[in-house]
Amino acid sequence: MRNILVILIVTLLIACTEKEPGGQGPVTAQNKPMVVTSNCPLYFFSSEIAGDLVDVRFPSIEGDPAMWVPGGDEAIMLQSADLLILNGAGYESWLSFTTLSGENIVDTTANVQSMLLPIENTTVHQHGPQGKHSHQGTAFTTWLDPELAIEQSRSILQAVTQLKPDQAELFKTNFDQLEKRLRQLDQSLAQSFAKLAAQPVVFSHPVYQYLQHRYQINGRSLHWEPGIEPGTRDWIELGKLLQAHPAKLMVWEETPLDSTRGRLTEMGVQSVVFNPAANPGKPTDYFEMMNKNTDQITAPK
Amino acid sequence: MKGALFLGWRYLAHHRFKTAVLLASVTLMMFLPAATRLLVADSAKALTARAETTPLLIGARGSQLELVLNALYFHAERPPEVSHQLLDEVQKTGLATAIPLNTRFRTRGAPIVGTNLDYFKFRQLMLSDGRMMGLLGECVIGANVARSQQVGVGDYLVSSPETVFDLAGVYPLKMNIVGVLESSGSADDDAVFVDVRTTWVIQGLGHGHQDLEDAGASKAVLSRKEGAITANASLVQYNEITTENVREFHFHGDTSGFPLTAVIAVPPDDKNSTLLRGRFQEGTLSGQLVIPASVLGDLLETVFTVQNYIILGLVMLSLATIAVIILVFLLSQQLRRGEFFTLKRMGASRGFIAVLVASELGFVFLGSLVMAALLTWGARSYATQFLLSLMTL
């Protein structure tokens, strides 16, 4: 009886210490090159192209990534990334005050400068003897134009291919599929916006420049936030705008307050949401988001 | 034999003053030429070691030596400047990695070195605590700065104004320490590192202030017309960069025209190095490009020439000292004739007396040799750094 007990214990010990077949555990994120992206669409494009071969990350940012201020931990992540995939076009305003190594930065709009749109009507100010200046720049929600999104994805393809040249073929295949889906989205968006014909539209925020440009939308922009009740001055401004630009549709980044929506309806303006999806709060499928946006676009009654 | 050595030792011990003078003279005679040669050799080695690891330096036209000493040791008071555009142009050639340096400012006597992350990689500097600077206004300090100023991660340093009487000048900037470097035994231990753009904020080329379009800044607005806002003197400007106000910081003008004191160019190979030097020689790129090791080689050549003259003088002095010592001994033999006569009467041989005199000389030279060796060791340990600081002032 005692011998049987000893044999049983020894057998159990051997079983516990035995290695897994093959002797290798699962591939961890530590073995993969780290790629950090500056917004959700770039995160999605990078993940689609690189698949599981690269550890694609998007920092946990609350709110608009364009207004992000990296903290100490995020600075370490940005500095230690093998690739830092940026939107460019002035989107990453945090670049002007963040210390990074230039070697690993990929500006995905660097090759499409001629397709970028300038922001107009910025305020000029002056203090001291340095002279007048303004903080103007370039419209940066480039990923809303599928044609630009394809070019940005092409930059990502080149960067990840340089990072892992042995996987070039796989990356190219993934990119081709992504390009195909973006072209389909382009057609779908074109059909949706065609329903508007040349009807005037109001955008709640000036972030739809590329959408407006690509699909010839007759739109004008305000500076309204979906979660903030517009003030008297804002309503007066809208009234004046509607006199010159009789829009019946207002496009919001997110669902506006019920009170705002109600008052707009009274004014004969229908509210729809077209989320630019820069940071929907959690990693989201870009196409899912865009299809949801497309479904919202209907000709105002 | 033992008796002769014992008597020689006792003689020196009895005539303490005479022995001390002899020991001091012979020690100095040995120490001065040896120490001069060794100290200069050590300093030269330390100087060239840093220069040899810095392949190429680019700076404003002028003194090559000043450019090298400032870029390597951060010692110049007001170094001549080149524009940041030059760095971009070098980078665009694809022939070398260009690392910016802006060393114009100081904090508590330590140089503030404005650069980028490539500098740390290039100099192989490692952190002993904290992290690398990540935001404008953050700094990483050298090991000696941390030790001498008793500061570390979480503390702050304030940039020193260039002149105390410049009341309308640039406000000092409070810089947060986010990292401390491991000691590298180089000038980097005594420096405070910031992002190059932080040095531009210190210089007043960039600043942060209330948003003039914000309702809270209405008191600071002098006029608003046709999309242009003019502020008055009450506009609040920030003297510390935090995560809360960093977005309000901005630069006026084109940053490509902003100043740098030097650019370190790191070409991947000799071919690229030669091509880059060619671009400067033919004038395609402005400024001057120097090879630090070569510039310091010229300086050291002068130092070695001066050293040889000094050693020649010391050798002549030593010969004179030896002559005086021989004279002292000969005279001393005359004075000790009675002593030697007594020894002979006591049965001492001529050989015994010769050993006695030789032992006295031997003890003096042996003692001097030990003392000269100790002094040289001490000088090499403590004086090299001092000599280096004199040479790089």
Side-chain angles (χ1 to χ4, degrees):
Chain A
M1 181 66 190
R2 213 171 147 186
N3 287 343
I4 293 169
L5 199 67
V6 169
I7 290 166
L8 200 69
I9 290 168
V10 170
T11 312
L12 272 170
L13 280 171
I14 291 168
C16 288
T17 53
E18 201 167 304
K19 285 180 184 175
E20 281 179 26
Q24 284 184 335
V27 178
T28 60
Q30 285 174 341
N31 299 331
K32 300 176 187 177
M34 182 170 71
V35 170
V36 179
T37 63
S38 63
N39 64 24
C40 272
L42 291 175
Y43 171 82
F44 179 79
F45 300 151
S46 305
S47 303
E48 289 294 296
I49 294 167
D52 291 336
L53 297 168
V54 168
D55 176 22
V56 184
R57 295 186 191 185
F58 172 57
S60 53
I61 298 172
E62 277 185 32
D64 188 354
M67 303 301 285
W68 184 46
V69 176
D73 290 341
E74 286 96 348
I76 294 171
M77 181 168 78
L78 295 173
Q79 288 170 355
S80 56
D82 294 291
L83 278 182
L84 187 53
I85 294 182
L86 305 181
N87 189 71
Y91 179 72
E92 292 84 7
S93 56
W94 45 267
L95 277 181
S96 66
F97 51 80
T98 310
T99 308
L100 298 171
S101 173
E103 287 177 353
N104 60 350
I105 292 178
V106 180
D107 179 349
T108 56
T109 52
N111 296 330
V112 287
Q113 292 293 310
S114 59
M115 293 168 76
L116 301 180
L117 303 171
I119 295 175
E120 290 162 1
N121 301 328
T122 51
T123 308
V124 176
H125 68 261
Q126 180 181 6
H127 43 88
Q130 290 93 346
K132 291 176 183 176
H133 63 278
S134 67
H135 305 290
Q136 62 190 6
T138 309
F140 51 61
T141 45
T142 49
W143 61 92
L144 293 182
D145 177 346
E147 196 63 44
L148 275 169
I150 289 169
E151 294 309 315
Q152 289 186 271
S153 301
R154 202 184 303 280
S155 296
I156 296 170
L157 169 70
Q158 285 168 0
V160 292
T161 304
Q162 276 184 0
L163 198 63
K164 283 183 89 72
D166 53 321
Q167 300 295 336
E169 210 169 306
L170 178 66
F171 293 153
K172 180 70 173 69
T173 309
N174 291 343
F175 168 76
D176 289 342
Q177 283 175 2
L178 179 66
E179 185 182 8
K180 195 176 163 188
R181 292 179 74 189
L182 283 166
R183 294 212 182 279
Q184 283 169 355
L185 173 70
D186 185 31
Q187 284 178 2
S188 170
L189 283 168
Q191 282 168 8
S192 289
F193 285 112
K195 291 177 206 164
L196 299 178
Q199 286 188 50
V201 172
V202 173
F203 297 114
S204 68
H205 221 82
V207 290
Y208 299 100
Q209 296 93 336
Y210 291 98
L211 210 58
Q212 191 178 348
H213 181 257
R214 179 144 189 87
Y215 303 109
Q216 301 297 306
I217 306 166
N218 179 18
R220 300 279 288 273
S221 288
L222 293 169
H223 274 88
W224 288 18
E225 297 293 342
I228 298 173
E229 187 87 50
T232 310
R233 190 176 285 179
D234 296 322
W235 288 112
I236 293 170
E237 190 190 354
L238 176 65
K240 282 183 186 169
L241 178 68
L242 290 177
Q243 280 178 2
H245 184 76
K248 290 187 176 176
L249 192 72
M250 187 157 173
V251 181
W252 292 84
E253 294 168 274
E254 282 172 30
T255 310
L257 296 173
D258 286 343
S259 53
T260 311
R261 182 194 284 267
R263 193 162 168 184
L264 283 169
T265 309
E266 283 171 20
M267 292 170 78
V269 179
Q270 188 186 329
S271 297
V272 293
V273 175
F274 193 102
N275 193 327
N279 183 19
K282 56 180 181 178
T284 312
D285 185 322
Y286 169 83
F287 291 107
E288 203 177 288
M289 206 75 186
M290 288 300 136
N291 289 333
K292 205 171 157 188
N293 286 334
T294 314
D295 293 343
Q296 296 256 326
I297 306 300
T298 49
K301 294 159 191 170
Chain B
M1 181 72 175
K2 262 186 175 180
L5 291 175
F6 175 75
L7 281 178
W9 174 254
R10 291 306 307 159
Y11 177 84
L12 291 174
H14 182 72
H15 297 89
R16 281 179 197 162
F17 183 71
K18 181 186 157 190
T19 308
V21 170
L22 276 172
L23 271 173
S25 311
V26 179
T27 301
L28 283 175
M29 190 185 80
M30 292 173 172
F31 165 72
L32 286 175
T36 307
R37 189 170 279 277
L38 286 169
L39 281 177
V40 171
D42 285 353
S43 304
K45 199 175 162 188
L47 264 175
T48 49
R50 196 163 164 84
E52 276 165 5
T53 56
T54 310
L56 299 171
L57 269 178
I58 300 162
R61 287 185 191 280
S63 165
Q64 291 190 346
L65 187 61
E66 194 182 347
L67 168 65
V68 171
L69 293 181
N70 178 53
L72 298 186
Y73 299 99
F74 323 126
H75 272 264
E77 282 287 312
R78 194 75 185 253
E81 293 166 344
V82 289
S83 74
H84 189 262
Q85 192 181 348
L86 182 59
L87 177 132
D88 293 334
E89 286 169 1
V90 172
Q91 201 81 40
K92 272 180 198 163
T93 62
L95 297 171
T97 302
I99 302 170
L101 284 177
N102 193 13
T103 60
R104 182 174 152 181
F105 302 98
R106 306 185 91 78
T107 171
R108 296 194 207 172
I112 297 173
V113 180
T115 185
N116 63 14
L117 295 177
D118 293 337
Y119 183 84
F120 301 96
K121 209 167 151 188
F122 167 66
R123 291 271 185 235
Q124 296 177 335
L125 299 173
M126 306 297 286
L127 284 165
S128 66
D129 191 18
R131 61 172 171 85
M132 284 295 170
M133 64 262 190
L135 283 182
L136 215 61
E138 291 181 343
C139 66
V140 170
I141 58 174
N144 291 348
V145 176
R147 194 170 42 245
S148 63
Q149 304 196 9
Q150 295 287 302
V151 287
V153 174
D155 296 326
Y156 64 87
L157 290 168
V158 179
S159 66
S160 311
E162 284 188 303
T163 57
V164 285
F165 304 109
D166 187 12
L167 297 176
V170 177
Y171 291 109
L173 183 73
K174 192 172 165 183
M175 300 171 293
N176 299 312
I177 301 170
V178 294
V180 179
L181 294 171
E182 276 178 12
S183 177
S184 60
S186 70
D188 297 322
D189 291 346
D190 301 301
V192 173
F193 295 92
V194 296
D195 189 301
V196 70
R197 290 166 297 181
T198 302
T199 58
W200 295 337
V201 172
I202 295 171
Q203 198 168 343
L205 298 169
H207 63 188
H209 57 76
Q210 292 168 288
D211 185 356
L212 290 168
E213 291 183 56
D214 194 76
S218 58
K219 284 182 182 171
V221 174
L222 198 65
S223 69
R224 279 177 203 269
K225 49 185 174 184
E226 293 172 8
I229 306 173
T230 305
N232 59 35
S234 71
L235 180 70
V236 177
Q237 294 201 28
Y238 307 117
N239 65 351
E240 183 185 5
I241 305 174
T242 63
T243 48
E244 285 74 34
N245 69 19
V246 70
R247 296 202 69 84
E248 310 298 337
F249 275 80
H250 54 273
F251 296 98
H252 289 187
D254 184 4
T255 52
S256 65
F258 286 6
L260 296 175
T261 52
V263 175
I264 298 174
V266 190
D269 50 39
D270 289 346
K271 186 186 167 191
N272 284 284
S273 172
T274 311
L275 286 170
L276 187 63
R277 285 162 62 192
R279 299 278 173 96
F280 277 87
Q281 270 178 3
E282 68 190 16
T284 316
L285 293 167
S286 59
Q288 68 169 333
L289 182 143
V290 298
I291 302 169
S294 163
V295 174
L296 280 184
D298 292 344
L299 168 73
L300 290 173
E301 213 170 281
T302 313
V303 171
F304 283 129
T305 309
V306 174
Q307 175 210 253
N308 288 339
Y309 283 119
I310 291 171
I311 288 176
L312 186 69
L314 289 171
V315 167
M316 289 171 77
L317 204 67
S318 301
L319 288 173
T321 311
I322 289 168
V324 170
I325 289 168
I326 290 168
L327 183 70
V328 167
F329 262 90
L330 288 175
L331 289 172
S332 142
Q333 304 313 307
Q334 290 295 320
L335 290 170
R336 293 171 69 187
R337 281 172 73 185
E339 182 191 335
F340 296 148
F341 180 72
T342 310
L343 282 171
K344 272 183 190 168
R345 292 283 299 268
M346 287 168 72
S349 63
R350 287 172 70 89
F352 181 92
I353 293 166
V355 170
L356 170 68
V357 174
S359 71
E360 288 167 13
L361 268 172
F363 283 133
V364 168
F365 274 90
L366 201 68
S368 298
L369 195 69
V370 171
M371 282 171 69
L374 285 171
L375 278 172
T376 309
W377 176 79
R380 284 187 84 180
S381 304
Y382 298 103
T384 309
Q385 204 58 38
F386 173 70
L387 207 65
L388 261 180
S389 67
L390 284 180
M391 288 169 88
T392 56
L393 262 178

